[in-house]
Amino acid sequence: MEKLGAEPGEEAGCDDEEDAAKAMERAEAGKAGCSPGAPVPEEPGGLPWLVPEGGSSSRVIVHVDLDCFYAQVEMISNPELKGKPLGVQQKYLVVTCNYEARKLGVKKLMNVRDAKEKCPQLVLVNGEDLTRYREMSYKVTELLEEFSPVVERLGFDENFVDVTEMVEKRLQQLQSDDLSVLTVSGHVYNDQAVNLHDISHIRLLVGSQIAAEMREAMYHQLGVTGCAGVASNKLLAKLVSGVFKPNQQTVLLPESSQVLIQSLNHVKEMPGIGYKTTKRLEALGIRSVRDLQTFSSKILEKELGISVAQRIQKLSFGEDNSPVTPSGPPQSFSEEDSFKKCSSEVEAKNKIEELLASLLNRVCQDGRKPHTVRLIIRRFSSEHHWSRESRQCPIPSHVIQKLGTGNHDVMTPMVDILMKLFRNMVNVKMPFHLTLLSVCLCNLKALNTAKKGTIDYYLTSSLSTTSRSGKRSFVILLE
C-alpha cells in the first residue's frame, strides 16, 4: 500500500483480519481417512500404496500473510512498544493496529478520535513514511525466494509461493521408514481427517511442513510473524490462510474446499471479485456464493462478458488455474497521499512536490530510469468516494537523463509536467475538492549504454542496481 490504499494487499482492501473461526464448520460425515502420523500399510520394500488423486490439482500453493504488518515493523524498531496497544496512524486514520489494540476494540481504518475513545491507552505512531515497511516487505519476499523461486507479491504484506516442485523433490527422497514425518504442521481446515493413502493429501501435508519452515525462518531471521494457508490453488490458499490468526497456519484438503467456499457470507468476500462486479452481480440478484454457482451461465455471460462470467463462476466452485507469477523488480514507483480536503492549486502543488521528492529518491536507489509519469486524483463525492481519475505522459528525454543522478534541477521540470496533467483534469478556476493525490513513475528501463562485444557489456549492473534489500550488486551476463 503506497500510503493508504495505494498498493493492494497491505491493510486496506484486503480480507479483514478478524477471527475467522466463524467460517469453520464440521467436516462432512463419513469422510474416510486416518489421523496424521497414524500407521500406514506399506508395500514391501518401498513407500505406502497411494490412491490416485483423480482430477484434483497436483499444485501446492502457500499464501503467506504477515500479521498487522506496519505495527510489527514498528514494534521491531522499538521493542518497548511490544505488549502495548499500538496503532499506526496516517492522517486521521488508524490504518492498522496490533492485536493488543484489537482486543480493546480498535479496528483497522478507524478514525483516530474514535480509536482513542475506545482505547485511551492506545499508543499511536506515524506511518506516513513507508520506507521501513517497504524494506521489510522485500526482505520477506527475498527470504521466501530462498525456498522457491516462484514467489508473487501481493502488496506489502502478502506473498503467494508455489512450492509444487519442492514438494515433489521431497516426496522423491522420502523412504518408507520416513513416514513418521508425514504429520500436518498447523491446523487442518474443517478438522478433516487426513488420508495418507491419498497422494493429494500427502502433497499438501509436505506443503504444510514447508510453510512452517518459511514462517520459522521469517521469525528467526527477520523477527516477523505471519499466517499461512496451504491449498491446491491461489484462491483457496488465500481464503484458508485467514482461518486461524495470528501467527498460525491452515491446510485445506480438497474434500473441504466447498465447505470453505460456502462459508463466505457474500460474493464480495471472494478474492477476484471487485467492487464494480459485485454491484453488477447484486443487480442480478446474486449475493451468496451459492447464488453465483447456480445462476444461468448464459445470462451471466450476456451481462458480464464471456471471460469475466466464466472466470468468476469457476471461482465460486473454488477453481483457480492462475499461476503464481514471480513479481521481479517493481515495474513502477508510486507515492500517494490521502486527506480530507485539498481545494487550491498551490496546496496541490506542494503535495505533488512532496510525493515527487520521495519518488526521485527511490529512482536514485533503484538505478533504472522511468520513461512515463502519471498523476492520479480522487475527487470528493458522497456517492463515489472511491473513483479515481488519471492522466499520464512521456517524460522528455533530456529530463530522463537527469533522473536518478541526484540532480536537484530535475524537480522543476517534473513538477511542471505534473501540474500540466493536474490542470488537464481539474479546472483550477472553479471550486474543487480533492481527497487524494498520487504520483507514479512507470515504464522503468535499465541503462544499457555499453556496446555488445566490450567487457563493459558483460559486467553491467543488474536490472535493479540496488537490490531489494538495499545492497548494490553486479551480475555477470553469460550467453
Side-chain angles (χ1 to χ4, degrees), residues 134-414:
R134 186 180 295 111
E135 289 174 353
M136 179 62 80
S137 172
Y138 276 112
K139 285 180 181 179
V140 171
T141 300
E142 287 178 347
L143 188 151
L144 296 175
E145 287 172 342
E146 294 176 9
F147 289 84
S148 167
V150 191
V151 180
E152 179 180 343
R153 288 171 56 78
L154 190 64
F156 276 9
D157 64 341
E158 296 182 61
N159 289 270
F160 286 111
V161 190
D162 189 330
V163 296
T164 307
E165 188 174 330
M166 193 174 181
V167 167
E168 293 302 325
K169 286 179 179 178
R170 291 198 181 186
L171 287 177
Q172 290 171 9
Q173 297 168 358
L174 199 63
Q175 301 296 320
S176 58
D177 55 355
D178 293 331
L179 290 172
S180 59
V181 304
L182 283 180
T183 56
V184 67
S185 291
H187 305 273
V188 178
Y189 180 78
N190 212 30
D191 290 335
Q192 183 185 333
V194 177
N195 182 1
L196 292 183
H197 292 261
D198 188 330
I199 186 61
S200 65
H201 284 212
I202 288 180
R203 282 195 180 106
L204 292 166
L205 291 196
V206 175
S208 76
Q209 295 172 351
I210 295 170
E213 293 168 17
M214 289 175 177
R215 292 174 51 246
E216 184 178 9
M218 279 165 37
Y219 180 71
H220 288 296
Q221 295 183 37
L222 302 175
V224 296
T225 64
C227 298
V230 184
S232 59
N233 65 45
K234 290 165 67 176
L235 168 70
L236 297 175
K238 180 172 173 61
L239 286 174
V240 82
S241 67
V243 172
F244 288 98
K245 289 195 170 191
N247 195 26
Q248 299 180 67
Q249 66 178 61
T250 313
V251 62
L252 177 70
L253 301 177
E255 295 81 1
S256 291
S257 61
Q258 281 305 302
V259 182
L260 175 63
I261 290 289
Q262 295 288 349
S263 72
L264 302 179
N265 296 317
H266 198 285
V267 288
K268 66 183 178 183
E269 298 175 14
M270 181 87 67
I273 298 182
Y275 177 85
K276 291 182 179 179
T277 303
T278 296
K279 289 300 180 185
R280 295 176 73 180
L281 291 175
E282 288 178 337
L284 295 171
I286 300 172
R287 287 176 172 77
S288 70
V289 172
R290 183 66 179 164
D291 291 339
L292 182 53
Q293 289 177 338
T294 57
F295 197 80
S296 166
S297 298
K298 290 185 177 180
I299 297 176
L300 200 62
E301 289 174 4
K302 183 179 178 181
E303 294 293 329
L304 302 179
I306 294 175
S307 61
V308 173
Q310 291 181 350
R311 180 181 64 83
I312 65 173
Q313 208 151 35
K314 284 182 178 179
L315 290 178
S316 73
F317 287 98
E319 300 174 20
D320 176 19
N321 295 322
S322 63
V324 175
T325 306
S327 303
Q331 297 306 302
S332 64
F333 294 134
S334 64
E335 293 280 358
E336 74 175 35
D337 195 2
S338 58
F339 30 78
K340 290 184 178 180
K341 187 176 184 180
C342 171
S343 56
S344 76
E345 187 177 6
V346 172
E347 188 179 3
K349 184 178 180 181
N350 290 338
K351 292 183 181 297
I352 286 172
E353 288 174 343
E354 290 178 10
L355 297 174
L356 184 61
S358 176
L359 285 173
L360 293 178
N361 182 51
R362 291 170 65 184
V363 168
C364 196
Q365 292 178 343
D366 180 82
R368 291 172 294 163
K369 303 273 192 179
H371 285 60
T372 304
V373 60
R374 181 186 304 132
L375 180 68
I376 302 101
I377 67 169
R378 184 178 64 198
R379 301 179 194 272
F380 175 78
S381 169
S382 56
E383 295 181 0
H384 301 292
H385 195 72
W386 45 268
S387 62
R388 299 186 182 200
E389 301 171 48
S390 67
R391 294 286 188 279
Q392 68 180 44
C393 69
I395 301 173
S397 57
H398 70 278
V399 177
I400 292 175
Q401 291 176 1
K402 297 179 182 179
L403 291 170
T405 61
N407 191 335
H408 294 290
D409 293 342
V410 78
M411 272 293 287
T412 300
M414 286 297 295

Side-chain angles (χ1 to χ4, degrees), residues 417-456:
I417 293 170
L418 286 162
M419 291 310 297
K420 286 179 182 177
L421 294 175
F422 180 82
R423 286 187 284 268
N424 282 338
M425 290 185 283
V426 179
N427 184 351
V428 295
K429 295 180 180 179
M430 299 291 290
F432 61 88
H433 182 171
L434 303 182
T435 59
L436 176 142
L437 281 167
S438 174
V439 177
C440 177
L441 299 179
C442 42
N443 193 13
L444 293 165
K445 296 180 181 179
L447 288 177
N448 291 319
T449 54
K451 293 182 179 180
K452 190 171 182 179
T454 67
I455 189 65
D456 290 336

